[in-house]
Coordinates of all heavy atoms in Angstrom, one line a residue:
S29 N -3.8 -5.1 2.9 CA -3.4 -4.3 1.8 C -4.0 -4.7 0.5 O -4.6 -5.8 0.4 CB -1.8 -4.3 1.6 OG -1.4 -5.6 1.1
L40 N -12.5 -15.4 -5.3 CA -14.0 -15.3 -5.3 C -14.4 -15.6 -6.7 O -15.4 -16.4 -6.9 CB -14.4 -13.9 -5.0 CG -14.3 -13.5 -3.5 CD1 -14.6 -12.0 -3.3 CD2 -15.3 -14.4 -2.6
H52 N -19.7 -17.3 -15.5 CA -20.2 -16.8 -14.2 C -19.0 -16.2 -13.4 O -17.8 -16.7 -13.5 CB -20.8 -17.9 -13.3 CG -22.2 -18.3 -13.8 ND1 -23.3 -17.4 -13.6 CD2 -22.6 -19.3 -14.4 CE1 -24.3 -18.0 -14.0 NE2 -24.0 -19.2 -14.6
L82 N -13.9 2.6 9.4 CA -14.4 1.4 8.9 C -15.9 1.3 9.0 O -16.6 0.7 8.2 CB -13.7 0.2 9.5 CG -12.2 0.2 9.3 CD1 -11.6 -1.2 9.8 CD2 -11.8 0.3 7.8
A91 N -25.0 0.9 1.4 CA -25.8 1.8 0.5 C -25.6 1.5 -1.0 O -26.5 1.7 -1.8 CB -25.3 3.3 0.8
C106 N -10.2 -6.9 14.8 CA -10.3 -6.5 16.2 C -11.4 -5.5 16.4 O -11.8 -5.2 17.5 CB -9.0 -5.9 16.6 SG -8.5 -4.3 15.9
K133 N -9.8 -30.9 10.5 CA -8.5 -31.7 10.5 C -8.3 -32.5 11.7 O -7.4 -33.3 11.9 CB -7.3 -30.8 10.2 CG -7.3 -30.3 8.8 CD -6.6 -31.3 7.8 CE -6.2 -30.6 6.5 NZ -5.6 -31.6 5.6
F145 N -0.3 -6.9 16.2 CA -1.7 -6.7 16.7 C -2.5 -7.9 16.9 O -3.1 -8.2 17.8 CB -2.4 -5.6 15.9 CG -1.6 -4.4 15.6 CD1 -1.2 -4.2 14.3 CD2 -1.1 -3.6 16.6 CE1 -0.4 -3.1 13.9 CE2 -0.3 -2.5 16.2 CZ 0.0 -2.2 14.9
Q149 N -2.9 -9.1 20.7 CA -4.2 -8.8 21.2 C -5.0 -10.1 21.3 O -4.6 -11.1 20.7 CB -4.9 -7.8 20.4 CG -4.3 -6.4 20.3 CD -5.0 -5.5 19.4 OE1 -6.1 -5.6 19.2 NE2 -4.3 -4.4 19.0
A150 N -6.0 -10.1 22.1 CA -6.8 -11.3 22.4 C -7.9 -11.7 21.4 O -8.3 -12.9 21.4 CB -7.4 -11.2 23.8
V204 N 6.1 -25.4 15.8 CA 5.9 -26.9 15.7 C 6.6 -27.6 16.9 O 6.1 -28.5 17.5 CB 6.3 -27.5 14.4 CG1 6.3 -29.0 14.3 CG2 5.5 -26.9 13.2
V212 N -1.7 -21.2 11.5 CA -2.6 -20.2 10.9 C -1.8 -19.1 10.3 O -1.1 -18.4 11.1 CB -3.6 -19.7 12.0 CG1 -4.5 -18.7 11.4 CG2 -4.4 -20.8 12.6
M219 N 0.4 -15.5 2.8 CA 0.3 -16.5 1.7 C 1.1 -16.1 0.5 O 1.4 -16.9 -0.4 CB -1.1 -16.7 1.4 CG -1.9 -15.5 1.1 SD -1.8 -14.7 -0.5 CE -2.7 -15.8 -1.5
P230 N 0.2 -28.8 8.7 CA -0.7 -28.1 7.8 C -0.7 -26.6 8.0 O -0.7 -26.1 9.2 CB -2.1 -28.7 8.1 CG -1.8 -30.1 8.7 CD -0.5 -29.9 9.4
L240 N -13.4 -18.4 0.2 CA -14.2 -19.6 -0.1 C -15.5 -19.5 0.7 O -16.5 -19.9 0.3 CB -13.5 -20.8 0.1 CG -12.3 -21.1 -0.9 CD1 -11.6 -22.4 -0.6 CD2 -12.8 -21.1 -2.4
L247 N -23.6 -18.0 -2.6 CA -24.4 -19.0 -3.3 C -25.3 -19.7 -2.4 O -26.1 -20.5 -2.9 CB -23.4 -19.9 -4.1 CG -22.5 -19.3 -5.0 CD1 -21.7 -20.4 -5.7 CD2 -23.2 -18.5 -6.1

Side-chain angles (χ1 to χ4, degrees):
S29 69
L40 289 170
H52 283 287
L82 295 188
C106 67
K133 287 275 191 183
F145 312 115
Q149 294 180 26
V204 173
V212 176
M219 48 81 74
L240 293 178
L247 299 182

